Amino acid sequence: MRGFAILLAFYLAGMSIQKGLNVPLPGNVIGLALFTLFLFTGLIKLKWVEKTASFLNRHMLLFFAPIIAGTLSILPLIREHAASIVVTFFISWLAVLLATGWTVRALTGRKKASSSPNIPASWRDAARREHS
């Protein structure tokens, strides 16, 4: 229950900041940024929220049900703009993929993940098996 209260508090704090300061970012993103900051500074311990976050991740599909139902109501509009939506999805997917790859490369400072000491040995072994 403590984990859920912490996550909810950061969500509400983000929403309050967004509404109060008229920040052009969604409130949940602001709350997530604050939560990440508190995690990295050690003010919030991962073990406090880990169990709740795992529970929410396991049942994430339930959060998409209202969105899917809402999408069905605008299906004719989606059909009308299907080509531009598909192109946008593809470009966004590619941009995220490239940005993630470049970020990981920049943070690890190495080109090959198998030589990084920060990656657990079991991951390196799995990567070697995939490439061999």
Side-chain angles (χ1 to χ4, degrees), residues 48-65:
W48 295 348
V49 295
E50 192 170 22
K51 196 172 183 179
T52 302
S54 295
F55 173 79
L56 292 172
N57 275 337
R58 277 195 313 268
H59 298 90
M60 186 179 280
L61 188 59
L62 292 175
F63 301 120
F64 291 106

Side-chain angles (χ1 to χ4, degrees), residues 75-126:
L75 201 53
L77 185 64
I78 291 174
R79 282 188 191 135
E80 186 177 318
H81 301 283
S84 61
I85 291 172
V86 168
V87 169
T88 303
F89 279 152
F90 179 74
I91 290 172
S92 300
W93 168 78
L94 191 61
V96 168
L97 190 68
L98 291 173
T100 303
W102 288 331
T103 303
V104 168
R105 181 182 286 178
L107 290 177
T108 58
R110 297 171 191 243
K111 290 188 176 183
K112 290 187 175 184
S114 61
S115 61
S116 176
N118 296 331
I119 296 177
S122 60
W123 292 10
R124 285 193 300 258
D125 293 340

Side-chain angles (χ1 to χ4, degrees), residues 13-88:
M15 296 299 284
S16 298
I17 290 171
Q18 192 263 334
K19 296 261 186 223
L21 300 177
N22 215 8
V23 178
L25 279 175
N28 54 358
V29 173
I30 296 170
L32 181 64
L34 286 173
F35 179 72
T36 304
L37 179 71
F38 275 62
L39 268 179
F40 280 122
T41 57
L43 295 171
I44 298 289
K45 304 290 182 203
L46 182 60
K47 65 182 179 182
W48 295 348
V49 295
E50 192 170 22
K51 196 172 183 179
T52 302
S54 295
F55 173 79
L56 292 172
N57 275 337
R58 277 195 313 268
H59 298 90
M60 186 179 280
L61 188 59
L62 292 175
F63 301 120
F64 291 106
I67 296 170
I68 292 169
T71 302
L72 290 177
S73 68
I74 59 167
L75 201 53
L77 185 64
I78 291 174
R79 282 188 191 135
E80 186 177 318
H81 301 283
S84 61
I85 291 172
V86 168
V87 169
T88 303

